[in-house]
Amino acid sequence: MNALKTLNPYFWKHRILLFWGFLFIVASNFFNIYKVQFVGKSVDAISHTDKLGFNKEVLIYVGIIVGSSLLTGFFTFMMRQTIIVASRRIEYELKNKIYSHYQELSLTDFKKTTIGDLMNRLSEDVVAVRMYLGPGVMYVVNLLVLLMITSIYMLNTNVSMTLWSLLPLPLLSFVIYKVSSIINKKSKIMQKSQSAISTFVQDSFSGIRVIKFFAKEQYIEKNYGIKVRDYQDKALDLAKTEAYFFTIILFVIGLLNVVILLIGGQKYLSNELSVGKIADFFLYINILIWPFSMVGWVTSVNQRAEASMARINEFLDMKSEIINSHHDVYPIKGDIEFRNVSYTYPNTGIKALDGLSFKIEAGKSLAIMGKTGSGKSTIALLLARLIDPTEGEILVDGRNLKDHNLENYRNYIGYIPQESFLFSDSIENNIGFAIDHPNIDLVKEYAKIADVDKNIKEFKDQYKTMVGERGVMLSGGQKQRIAIARALIKKPKILIFDDSLSALDTETEENILQNIETEITSCTSIIITHRESSAKRADQILNLTAVHDPASA
Ligand SMILES: Nc1ncnc2c1ncn2[C@@H]1O[C@H](COP(=O)(O)OP(=O)(O)OP(=O)(O)O)[C@@H](O)[C@H]1O
Ligand SMILES: [Mg+2]
């Protein structure tokens, strides 16, 4: 139970809620057991009265039984309200911790490990851990309390019968544990098959155009069929094992009833026990059988939770490679210098840049040209410090980039990515995303500068138009221009265009470049482009040759 130790501080944090939960467990069990003796007493009372009809004694017993049952119900409700609520809160806190760590990790951290996998599993893992936090803890405590109270009552009634009827129960726990473990394994396999289906469906939805262009509908349908078939097989396999779960429990209930009947019958004949007491035993055993089964189940749940927690810990222990250790806030001018910068992608070993040096004064512009794969986008990543150089250094305003407050620095960067990425949100929010307090007039002003205002006005909902999966599909050029507006609205000091005008016709490109003349002169701009015409506007042009390009060797 090593990995689960990480959760102890969480338990401690919610100790008050959990403490109440334990009290409620004791109370609900107490009343659950307390009422049983009155069932026996009623049976005996009835069998001792000769005449049928009103029996005051029995009526009181029935009253106690009903009252106890109500209290049991109430305390069970309260127990769930405390323990399950605590487990949900801990789950929430854990999820937030995982998510914020995810946001902190750098770009290379994501690629080096199988983080995609990890992220997929984490959501499942958190659920597994919650099962340990809530039901796991609850059932174990429940069993212990129940066992204690029931044993006292049972031993008070008859010792040898108590021993006989308790004997098979640990075995039941063990068998249920084994069955649960198999169920867990199989349900994991089934989940995998299910997620394969959803990935496939998602893929074929987003790739629907490609599928239709290539007339591959039948092929896709056939593949889908195979995947669904696989899921069906696995679901059936699981259902078969699950069927054992209750069968075993019911079998043991039957078995124990026979034991009680046999032994109890003999004791009745030898006048050791009354019919009522034997009836009590039936009830005690039926109450105990569920928690004993649950302990088997919980053991397997806890094993799974431990494995899950270990994975979560492994993730939380990952240290980001990009560390921001400065927190002062100051303005950035925008002088940039690359000194002998080399960069090798750690996952592939591809050397994207080799000893690159250049200098841009604040307010000037640099166009970067070069063949595909020559390392242009890598320069943009380095400049925003999404990655750190393998060799050499980058200076901003004469200071090594690593010695800048990263958050402060990035506030001064405007970046238009090569593949325009917009969030599934309104156009207004996508443009306003870059700043803290966007307002619609400002958004419109920058949409005009990026020459996309007139397109937006054609949409029915104008700036409220949703983009992406659940909204309007934008053309490549429209997306690019919204991304440009988003970068400019920040009034950056360093502006990076990563081939961001490629989807535009030359006329629109000219329009934009003219509109942003003032923006460009007020900041240092880096324009990655394949077009001579755009490059010529810049103060300098950098021509990259690919490190691996045989022509440059
Ligand atoms: N995340 C990555 N992991 C591994 N290698 C990468 C990664 N990104 C880029 N590379 C490699 O680094 C080299 C430079 O890539 P980069 O994206 O900087 O080229 P680029 O000049 O922007 O090309 P393009 O004009 O096609 O956009 C390429 O050989 C590419 O395969
Ligand atoms: Mg690129």
Side-chain angles (χ1 to χ4, degrees):
M1 287 282 148
N2 248 335
L4 292 172
K5 271 190 191 153
T6 340
L7 292 170
N8 289 348
Y10 290 94
F11 281 126
W12 183 245
K13 188 175 168 199
H14 296 280
R15 61 189 178 279
I16 295 175
L17 211 53
L18 290 168
F19 173 76
W20 280 109
F22 293 153
L23 284 190
F24 291 137
I25 289 180
V26 175
S28 90
N29 282 323
F30 175 77
F31 286 108
N32 196 13
I33 301 298
Y34 178 72
K35 67 169 190 275
V36 169
Q37 53 184 310
F38 295 99
V39 175
K41 281 184 181 158
S42 316
V43 171
D44 286 341
I46 291 168
S47 55
H48 289 147
T49 33
D50 313 323
K51 57 177 190 323
L52 287 169
F54 186 72
N55 185 327
K56 206 175 155 194
E57 203 184 349
V58 173
L59 206 64
I60 293 170
Y61 294 153
V62 170
I64 294 175
I65 292 171
V66 171
S68 291
S69 299
L70 287 175
L71 286 172
T72 307
F74 172 72
F75 286 119
T76 307
F77 173 76
M78 291 309 287
M79 160 180 96
R80 299 193 66 88
Q81 284 296 309
T82 45
I83 293 190
I84 300 294
V85 165
S87 80
R88 287 283 182 183
R89 285 194 190 152
I90 296 177
E91 180 194 16
Y92 169 80
E93 287 158 7
L94 204 59
K95 272 189 176 160
N96 278 338
K97 194 167 172 194
I98 291 172
Y99 188 73
S100 73
H101 188 68
Y102 178 64
Q103 295 284 324
E104 272 168 22
L105 290 175
S106 69
L107 223 59
T108 37
D109 297 324
F110 288 109
K111 283 168 187 154
K112 219 167 35 193
T113 58
T114 50
I115 220 161
D117 263 16
L118 208 56
M119 277 320 282
N120 281 339
R121 281 192 327 221
L122 281 179
S123 50
E124 272 173 45
D125 286 337
V126 174
V127 173
V129 170
R130 192 195 67 227
M131 294 301 276
Y132 159 77
L133 291 168
V137 170
M138 195 166 71
Y139 283 122
V140 170
V141 178
N142 201 22
L143 175 78
L144 291 177
V145 174
L146 198 61
L147 194 60
M148 252 156 42
I149 305 178
T150 318
S151 310
I152 294 169
Y153 275 104
M154 285 169 86
L155 286 170
N156 250 337
T157 316
N158 190 288
V159 177
S160 71
M161 203 145 117
T162 306
L163 295 179
W164 275 110
S165 33
L166 287 184
L167 213 61
L169 287 175
L171 191 71
L172 173 69
S173 298
F174 180 73
V175 174
I176 291 292
Y177 159 64
K178 282 288 171 199
V179 174
S180 303
S181 302
I182 299 173
I183 290 178
N184 271 342
K185 229 174 267 159
K186 290 192 171 166
S187 79
K188 231 182 194 168
I189 294 174
M190 188 189 79
Q191 268 167 11
K192 230 185 204 161
S193 167
Q194 194 177 23
S195 68
I197 293 180
S198 37
T199 314
F200 185 82
V201 169
Q202 248 176 11
D203 236 27
S204 44
F205 266 116
S206 33
I208 190 73
R209 286 189 198 177
V210 178
I211 293 169
K212 287 203 181 289
F213 266 113
F214 285 82
K216 282 289 185 189
E217 290 96 331
Q218 272 182 3
Y219 166 79
I220 294 287
E221 235 177 275
K222 200 174 125 226
N223 268 350
Y224 179 70
I226 294 171
K227 291 207 156 52
V228 173
R229 193 52 196 252
D230 177 70
Y231 172 71
Q232 187 195 27
D233 290 345
K234 287 177 177 153
L236 280 177
D237 191 33
L238 175 66
K240 275 181 203 153
T241 317
E242 276 174 340
Y244 283 114
F245 194 88
F246 290 105
T247 314
I248 291 169
I249 295 175
L250 291 175
F251 174 73
V252 176
I253 291 180
L255 198 72
L256 282 173
N257 284 343
V258 171
V259 169
I260 295 170
L261 207 59
L262 277 177
I263 304 174
Q266 273 174 350
K267 296 209 185 279
Y268 174 71
L269 291 177
S270 59
N271 272 334
E272 262 182 77
L273 279 179
S274 68
V275 178
K277 297 277 183 197
I278 296 170
D280 286 351
F281 257 92
F282 278 115
L283 291 174
Y284 286 135
I285 286 303
N286 281 296
I287 289 175
L288 274 180
I289 215 148
W290 286 105
F292 266 101
S293 317
M294 279 328 200
V295 160
W297 176 76
V298 160
T299 313
S300 103
V301 162
N302 285 4
Q303 273 184 348
R304 209 174 137 191
E306 200 194 345
S308 292
M309 198 63 222
R311 273 199 296 266
I312 293 174
N313 286 342
E314 180 197 351
F315 174 74
L316 290 178
D317 288 342
M318 275 174 68
K319 293 269 174 292
S320 174
E321 285 184 353
I322 307 285
I323 299 157
N324 181 29
S325 40
H326 305 268
H327 301 285
D328 36 343
V329 176
Y330 49 88
I332 299 281
K333 260 172 57 205
D335 278 322
I336 294 167
E337 186 182 351
F338 271 53
R339 265 192 210 156
N340 256 320
V341 171
S342 300
Y343 188 76
T344 306
Y345 280 97
N347 55 332
T348 54
I350 290 178
K351 194 163 197 181
L353 293 173
D354 191 8
L356 178 71
S357 299
F358 65 83
K359 228 173 157 170
I360 324 171
E361 268 172 51
K364 298 279 188 215
S365 57
L366 171 76
I368 300 177
M369 299 189 76
K371 281 192 186 153
T372 162
S374 57
K376 302 183 295 296
S377 297
T378 308
I379 296 179
L381 296 181
L382 284 165
L383 198 51
R385 208 181 161 211
L386 291 174
I387 51 181
D388 279 334
T390 328
E391 281 165 59
E393 52 186 11
I394 299 167
L395 294 115
V396 173
D397 293 349
R399 197 198 300 192
N400 193 322
L401 191 48
K402 288 181 186 173
D403 298 327
H404 276 284
N405 173 2
L406 196 53
E407 216 184 303
N408 177 62
Y409 170 65
R410 285 200 189 137
N411 278 334
Y412 287 90
I413 295 186
Y415 169 61
I416 302 131
Q418 186 161 20
E419 283 146 25
S420 329
F421 175 84
L422 300 182
F423 294 97
S424 299
D425 201 339
S426 67
I427 293 179
E428 179 184 348
N429 288 345
N430 263 295
I431 297 177
F433 174 79
I435 51 178
D436 286 341
H437 305 288
N439 67 67
I440 183 67
D441 295 324
L442 201 65
V443 166
K444 278 184 185 164
E445 185 189 328
Y446 280 90
K448 271 187 200 129
I449 293 175
D451 208 22
V452 68
D453 175 67
K454 54 181 184 293
N455 293 98
I456 297 172
K457 280 190 175 143
E458 279 166 18
F459 297 133
K460 191 166 72 39
D461 298 325
Q462 304 222 346
Y463 280 84
K464 300 279 178 217
T465 307
M466 297 294 287
V467 300
E469 269 180 47
R470 262 161 279 139
V472 170
M473 289 301 172
L474 299 173
S475 78
Q478 287 166 347
K479 270 200 250 176
Q480 276 196 342
R481 279 171 288 153
I482 290 175
I484 291 172
R486 174 176 66 191
L488 292 178
I489 201 170
K490 247 177 116 172
K491 301 192 178 71
K493 276 291 163 197
I494 297 169
L495 187 59
I496 307 166
F497 284 87
D498 191 349
D499 214 5
S500 324
L501 303 166
S502 61
L504 306 178
D505 56 276
T506 24
E507 194 192 317
T508 314
E509 182 181 348
E510 273 304 309
N511 274 348
I512 295 177
L513 287 175
Q514 238 155 47
N515 289 358
I516 63 176
E517 193 85 43
T518 33
E519 270 79 16
I520 285 203
T521 45
S522 65
C523 65
T524 312
S525 42
I526 287 133
I527 301 158
I528 296 170
T529 178
H530 285 287
R531 283 191 197 157
E532 292 276 353
S533 56
S534 329
K536 276 192 184 134
R537 289 177 160 268
D539 300 316
Q540 313 170 57
I541 299 180
L542 177 70
N543 244 312
L544 280 185
T545 43
V547 176
H548 291 291
D549 195 346
S552 71

